[in-house]
């Protein structure tokens, strides 16, 4: 049991309650003593009884100080210490009660049945075994006192004006002892069985509440996650709507001018329609990129991954981009390490990744510049690097380039066309492949994007599909890379 649990705190609370009860008992004893001696004139020895009440109050004070001063339930082994403390108190109470009885009529005193209270208290505070032992102590103390008084071992103090005759040593006292013993025995049995059942319930409730607390935490986590996802979705929809709204508003106002014949000059009308068409093309590009982004986030499950030969994909992409690079007078180069393992992934995704990184390089590199693709292998990973000698990225913009729709001012100025979705798509593809991406850039000098992708597991190298991929790779002289 861990320290400071509710079970231990409960035990400490009950011990304190027991101590408070003893203050009442001490006050009650004093009141009874005064009433018996002063009003009923019973003639009980005043000094020893008063001494006993003082003793009771004194040790209760010590108990109170111990219980409140030392936080019993806050240290390891506290259950054992608390039980010992409770055992000691009950034993002292039993002795004090026996002494009180001895000085006020012995077995003749009907307060003897107050022993039962201690049995009930013991069953609440202690284990069943300890309760039985305390009950045994009560039986021994009461019978010991009765026998010792009956045999003259200790003096018997008869109370005046209470019983008509002295009962000490009579059959009646013997019967009283028998009834007392059986009452204590039956009480202890009943009290311990009831408290055992109660404790079982208590334990069940406690474990249930612990379980419920655990479930509650999980539910709260799930709810937080759901709220977070929902807020992301809302943010995303707001962003998309905002990005779609400005070109649509521009198209609407330009076409209104044409439709309402505000602009009558044919040349101007033609120009407005042309500009609207450009905006529509931009919108189409954006919608297309959004669809690609959504697809890259949903479709590629690792079960659908296959070995993808990078040389084949690079050849295809470079083939497509070479003319664009040439028209911008940018040199496009490739350097793929021979004997590369295939990437374990989605071929279309890898193609999209290379296309976006290389087209960014071409797009943001001024005439006469160079864009280079390098692929090498680092143990189980393939390192894809795309570097350019372009405009570079400001250090404060570096962390934002992977955000949807983000375009730096420098980039907008250098090339106004763009949706700001290309690198979000790249990032999403890298994440779905359990890879990583980072970027290094020097403003005005150039940028390098570095991607790590997992290599396909070894055994798949022997499948016919991969073998053909390797053949393509070795046939490097035919590569369109050499054309650039
Ligand atoms: P598109 O969605 O049409 O590709 P984009 O190229 O502006 O538009 P991303 O590819 O997502 O969008 O790039 C985001 C931003 O990152 C760019 O606008 C630019 O500011 C910066 N960036 C990306 N690649 C480079 C690069 N090679 N050199 C300089 N800046 C770059
Ligand atoms: Mg781009």
């Amino acid at each position: 049991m861990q320290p400071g649990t509710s079970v231990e705190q409960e035990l400490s609370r009950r011990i304190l309650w027991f101590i408070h009860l003893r203050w009442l008992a001490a006050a009650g004893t004093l009141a009874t003593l005064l009433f018996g001696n002063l009003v009923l004139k019973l003639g009980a020895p005043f000094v020893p009884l008063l001494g006993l009440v003082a003793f009771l109050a004194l040790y209760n004070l010590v108990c109170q100080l111990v219980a409140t001063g030392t936080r019993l339930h806050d240290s390891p082994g506290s259950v054992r210490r608390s039980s010992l403390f409770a055992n000691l108190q009950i034993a002292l109470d039993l002795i004090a009660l026996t002494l009180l009885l001895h000085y006020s009529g012995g077995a003749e005193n009907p307060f003897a049945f107050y022993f039962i209270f201690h049995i009930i208290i013991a069953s609440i505070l202690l284990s069943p075994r300890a309760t039985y032992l305390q009950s045994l102590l009560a039986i021994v103390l009461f019978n010991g006192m009765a026998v010792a008084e009956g045999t003259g071992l200790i003096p018997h103090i008869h109370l005046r004006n209470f019983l008509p005759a002295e009962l000490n040593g009579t059959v009646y006292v013997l019967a009283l002892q028998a009834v007392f013993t059986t009452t204590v025995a039956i009480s202890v049995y009943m009290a311990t069985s009831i408290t055992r059942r109660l404790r079982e319930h208590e334990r069940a409730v406690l474990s249930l509440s612990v379980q419920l607390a655990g479930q509650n935490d999980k539910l709260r986590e799930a709810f937080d996650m759901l709220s977070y996802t929902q807020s992301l979705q809302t943010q995303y929809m707001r962003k998309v709507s905002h990005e779609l709204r400005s070109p649509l508003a521009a198209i609407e106002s330009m076409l209104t001018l044409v439709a309402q014949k505000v602009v009558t000059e044919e040349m101007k009308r033609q120009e407005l329609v042309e500009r609207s068409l450009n905006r529509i093309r931009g919108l189409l590009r954006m919608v297309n990129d959004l669809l690609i982004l959504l697809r890259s986030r949903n479709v590629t499950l690792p079960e659908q991954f296959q070995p993808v030969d990078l040389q084949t994909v690079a050849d295809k992409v470079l083939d497509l981009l070479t003319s664009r690079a040439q028209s911008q007078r940018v040199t496009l180069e490739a350097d793929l390490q021979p004997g590369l393992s295939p990437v374990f992934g989605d071929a279309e995704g890898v193609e999209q990744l290379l296309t976006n990184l290389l087209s960014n390089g071409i797009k943001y590199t001024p005439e006469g510049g160079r864009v280079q693709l390098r692929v090498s292998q680092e143990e189980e990973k393939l390192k894809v690097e795309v570097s350019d000698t372009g405009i570079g990225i400001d250090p404060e913009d570096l962390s934002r380039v992977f955000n949807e729709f983000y375009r730096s001012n420098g980039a907008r100025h250098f090339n106004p066309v763009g949706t700001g979705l290309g690198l979000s798509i790249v990032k999403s593809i890298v994440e779905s492949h359990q890879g990583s991406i980072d970027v290094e850039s020097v403003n005005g000098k150039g940028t390098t994007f570095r991607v790590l992708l997992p290599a396909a597991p070894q055994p798949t190298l022997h499948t016919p599909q991969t073998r053909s991929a390797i053949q393509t790779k070795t046939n490097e002289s035919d590569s369109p890379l050499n054309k650039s």
Side-chain angles (χ1 to χ4, degrees):
M1 187 81 57
Q2 293 298 306
T5 62
S6 56
V7 173
E8 290 160 4
Q9 286 168 357
E10 185 58 28
L11 186 57
S12 295
R13 264 198 294 275
R14 284 178 186 171
I15 287 177
L16 269 173
W17 160 80
F18 181 34
I19 291 167
H20 293 155
L21 217 61
R22 196 178 293 111
W23 285 121
L24 287 179
T29 312
L30 187 64
T32 314
L33 174 62
L34 293 173
F35 183 76
N37 266 13
L38 301 178
V39 181
L40 300 177
K41 309 259 187 271
L42 294 176
F46 205 70
V47 178
L49 283 171
L50 208 62
L52 275 171
V53 174
F55 168 65
L56 193 69
L58 190 73
Y59 83 69
N60 203 34
L61 186 67
V62 174
C63 289
Q64 173 125 29
L65 291 177
V66 171
T68 49
T70 62
R71 293 168 65 81
L72 282 170
H73 58 267
D74 272 359
S75 50
S78 58
V79 169
R80 251 189 87 230
R81 262 207 310 283
S82 295
S83 304
L84 206 74
F85 187 46
N87 257 307
L88 192 75
Q89 290 181 63
I90 293 171
L92 275 171
D93 282 346
L94 294 176
I95 293 167
L97 183 56
T98 312
L99 287 170
L100 280 169
L101 289 177
H102 168 62
Y103 285 109
S104 54
E108 293 172 13
N109 192 333
F111 280 105
F113 283 91
Y114 273 27
F115 275 106
I116 306 292
F117 293 148
H118 288 91
I119 307 308
I120 293 167
I121 288 170
S123 75
I124 294 170
L125 295 178
L126 308 177
S127 66
R129 196 165 141 259
T131 311
Y132 274 105
L133 284 174
Q134 292 286 4
S135 309
L136 192 67
L137 178 65
I139 292 169
V140 168
L141 284 171
F142 179 78
N143 287 310
M145 176 195 69
V147 170
E149 285 183 14
T151 54
L153 207 64
I154 52 170
H156 170 69
I157 298 155
H158 178 64
L159 299 181
R160 280 182 275 119
N161 304 331
F162 186 57
L163 284 176
E166 200 168 322
L167 300 173
N168 192 34
T170 60
V171 180
Y172 181 76
V173 172
L174 277 176
L176 211 63
Q177 279 178 251
V179 171
F180 175 85
T181 307
T182 48
T183 309
V184 169
I186 292 166
S187 305
V188 70
Y189 171 73
M190 281 166 56
T192 49
S193 351
I194 291 168
T195 44
R196 189 179 290 139
R197 292 269 293 277
L198 282 176
R199 275 183 198 161
E200 274 164 18
H201 285 305
E202 220 172 61
R203 264 196 291 273
V205 169
L206 195 74
S207 84
L208 209 68
S209 70
V210 169
Q211 272 176 27
L212 274 177
Q215 300 284 349
N216 213 11
D217 283 351
K218 277 189 195 149
L219 268 177
R220 198 173 305 123
E221 261 172 42
F223 180 74
D224 287 350
M225 193 65 132
L226 204 70
S227 314
Y228 177 67
T229 318
Q230 268 179 351
S231 84
L232 279 187
Q233 270 178 356
T234 316
Q235 260 179 39
Y236 194 69
M237 277 171 64
R238 198 176 296 144
K239 237 192 225 175
V240 173
S241 318
H242 179 81
E243 291 298 323
L244 292 174
R245 197 178 57 183
S246 32
L248 278 174
I251 294 165
E252 201 248 348
S253 59
M254 286 189 283
L255 291 184
T256 309
L257 292 177
V258 176
Q260 292 179 351
K261 299 196 169 61
V262 179
V263 178
T264 45
E265 213 180 306
E266 187 50 35
M267 281 273 282
K268 280 251 164 102
R269 284 167 59 136
Q270 190 59 35
E271 189 199 321
L272 284 174
V273 172
E274 242 353 284
R275 277 168 59 194
S276 301
L277 273 174
N278 275 342
R279 289 290 202 144
I280 290 169
R281 283 185 201 112
L283 272 175
L284 274 175
R285 262 199 309 276
M286 189 188 293
V287 173
N288 209 24
D289 279 355
L290 276 172
L291 287 174
I292 293 171
L293 185 62
L294 290 182
R295 201 184 67 88
S296 72
R297 282 183 183 165
N298 287 334
V299 174
T300 36
L301 301 170
E303 302 89 70
Q304 297 164 347
F305 283 178
Q306 288 176 350
V308 178
D309 179 48
L310 275 177
Q311 180 79 60
T312 315
V313 180
D315 286 352
K316 190 172 167 194
V317 173
L318 289 158
D319 213 10
L320 282 170
L321 294 178
T322 303
S323 57
R324 197 190 295 177
Q326 278 167 352
S327 73
Q328 281 190 226
R329 300 195 206 299
V330 170
T331 313
L332 189 56
E333 293 171 347
D335 175 11
L336 277 84
Q337 188 186 304
L340 289 171
S341 298
V343 162
F344 189 57
D346 168 55
E348 232 178 284
V350 176
E351 185 183 328
Q352 190 75 53
L353 182 147
L354 290 187
T355 308
N356 283 3
L357 289 180
L358 285 168
S359 55
N360 272 355
I362 298 167
K363 188 170 172 183
Y364 298 114
T365 300
E367 272 186 25
R370 204 178 68 238
V371 175
Q372 195 183 32
L373 166 70
R374 277 188 308 276
V375 185
S376 54
Q377 183 149 8
E378 287 186 352
E379 291 171 8
E380 301 298 295
K381 302 265 179 212
L382 286 145
K383 186 161 84 174
V384 177
E385 284 175 294
V386 176
S387 33
D388 61 59
T389 56
I391 59 169
I393 304 168
D394 267 351
E396 63 265 26
D397 291 335
L398 270 182
S399 59
R400 288 185 278 175
V401 292
F402 296 103
N403 294 353
E404 290 104 348
F405 304 111
Y406 179 76
R407 301 197 72 215
S408 70
N409 286 336
R412 282 175 199 275
H413 193 252
F414 188 77
N415 189 333
V417 181
T419 59
L421 287 170
L423 285 181
S424 314
I425 295 171
V426 168
K427 189 174 167 228
S428 161
I429 292 169
V430 169
E431 278 170 359
S432 71
H433 283 74
Q434 263 111 50
S436 64
I437 182 162
D438 62 71
V439 52
E440 254 174 48
S441 187
V442 180
N443 219 347
K445 288 252 165 87
T447 307
T448 300
F449 283 91
R450 202 167 289 113
V451 177
L452 287 179
L453 293 172
Q458 279 302 326
T460 51
L461 278 171
H462 303 295
T463 62
Q465 190 187 0
T466 323
R467 214 175 290 135
S468 76
I470 293 166
Q471 275 162 11
T472 322
K473 193 169 26 172
T474 47
N475 195 6
E476 275 177 325
S477 54
D478 294 339
S479 165
L481 306 183
N482 301 324
K483 292 174 201 157
S484 60

